[in-house]
Amino acid sequence: MTTLTALAPAGLQVEPDAASVAERVAEALLQALRDGATLGLATGRTMVPVYAALRRRLAALSGPERQALLAGWRSFNLDEYVGLGLADGSSFARFMQEQLVDPLQLPAGALQLPNGLAADPQAEARRYGAAVAAAGGIDLQLLGLGNNGHVGFNEPPCPADAPCRSLSLSAATRQQNAGAFGGDAGAVPAQAITLGTADIRAARRLLLVVTGAAKAQVLRRCLLEPPGPELPASWLQGHPGLQVVVDAEAASALPLH
Ligand code: GLP
């Protein structure tokens, strides 16, 4: 039977449901904040309960501890749609504003994203990648998983060492994310800026979070098939700091027994 040797020891955690996944991931994020880590943050439906759990944990702290953690916050999001900014309800900037910046009253500039409104998206991608590097890189990178195996917006085919760049989104991804655009895949921007697989793999720790039966097969393939460009998340295999937190549904295609 194939085993999950691709994962670091203790690198896979299976929780009963999405709510317990969220609690575990929020605890890891809180610990990283306590350690003064630079966070890499992600968007998507998977992260909504994670950020809710993180907000609850922060709210439960003493005022001084919470204030210290928020004052020291430094994070970089993975990606943004080209052409969308904070004023657009479907932008990742707005998602992060609503999930974390406003409720936590984060200091200006503490949470960064690529600027989807930049006149030259490719130049903005270079600027953003350089900003992450200048900050010392990412200590803990939070990752969701696209139905087509993308991480961030690294669409297949994607090499292991792709830089931060502007690229075209696949039809599958525009369909997956149509829910945030009134269900209309045609309304999803055709391009995005994303940190590359090189930036992601340079992070010291990776926390891949996957929930739901719909991703069981793609998760299995990303963890167990030989790494390759058709499944960008497969390039995470063998990263010494990879931790995968999933619910039982997402784990249902893994050979765990
Ligand atoms: C978008 C993001 C990805 C994220 C994916 C998963 O495509 N660019 O970083 O992994 O959504 O979305 P969801 O959690 O909604 O399934």
Side-chain angles (χ1 to χ4, degrees):
M1 179 188 289
T2 319
T3 55
L4 291 168
T5 49
L7 295 176
L12 176 69
Q13 285 142 7
V14 183
E15 294 287 332
D17 52 34
S20 29
V21 167
E23 293 300 334
R24 187 178 271 264
V25 174
E27 184 56 33
L29 291 172
L30 182 60
Q31 187 56 50
L33 288 170
R34 286 185 165 129
D35 294 343
T38 298
L39 301 177
L41 298 180
T43 52
R45 283 155 293 190
T46 309
M47 301 306 158
V48 171
V50 170
Y51 294 146
L54 179 60
R55 293 194 303 268
R56 282 195 300 274
R57 279 167 196 266
L58 285 163
L61 301 178
S62 72
E65 184 181 11
R66 183 171 59 252
Q67 287 314 320
L69 292 183
L70 298 180
W73 186 290
R74 180 158 64 176
S75 67
F76 293 90
N77 263 72
L78 283 165
D79 46 18
E80 178 61 285
Y81 293 107
V82 167
L84 299 192
L86 193 52
D88 298 288
S90 307
S91 68
F92 290 163
R94 175 72 77 84
F95 178 93
M96 297 309 296
Q97 196 78 20
E98 292 175 353
Q99 293 292 321
L100 295 179
V101 177
D102 284 347
L104 298 179
Q105 296 185 284
L106 289 177
L111 184 152
Q112 299 191 45
L113 302 100
N115 177 9
L117 297 177
D120 181 344
Q122 215 56 267
E124 167 60 8
R126 285 192 295 274
R127 180 202 69 79
Y128 191 70
V132 171
I138 304 289
D139 293 310
L140 176 60
Q141 177 66 61
L142 188 59
L143 296 164
L145 181 64
N147 292 343
N148 64 352
H150 76 215
V151 281
F153 268 139
N154 289 281
E155 297 279 49
C158 176
D161 59 352
C164 186
R165 68 208 182 285
S166 165
L167 79 178
S168 296
L169 295 177
S170 68
T173 291
R174 294 175 77 199
Q175 190 62 51
Q176 180 184 349
N177 291 359
F181 295 83
D184 178 7
V188 179
Q191 295 205 299
I193 297 169
T194 185
L195 286 180
T197 44
D199 308 286
I200 291 169
R201 294 169 75 231
R204 285 169 269 283
R205 286 178 61 203
L206 304 176
L207 196 45
L208 178 65
V209 185
V210 188
T211 56
K215 291 184 183 168
Q217 288 301 332
V218 71
L219 175 67
R220 180 189 61 77
R221 296 183 59 211
C222 288
L223 295 181
L224 295 175
E225 289 190 359
E230 292 307 322
L231 284 174
S234 68
W235 295 126
L236 308 180
Q237 287 181 29
H239 187 292
L242 174 61
Q243 194 182 351
V244 184
V245 184
V246 302
D247 67 359
E249 287 187 357
S252 59
L254 299 177
L256 296 176
H257 304 291

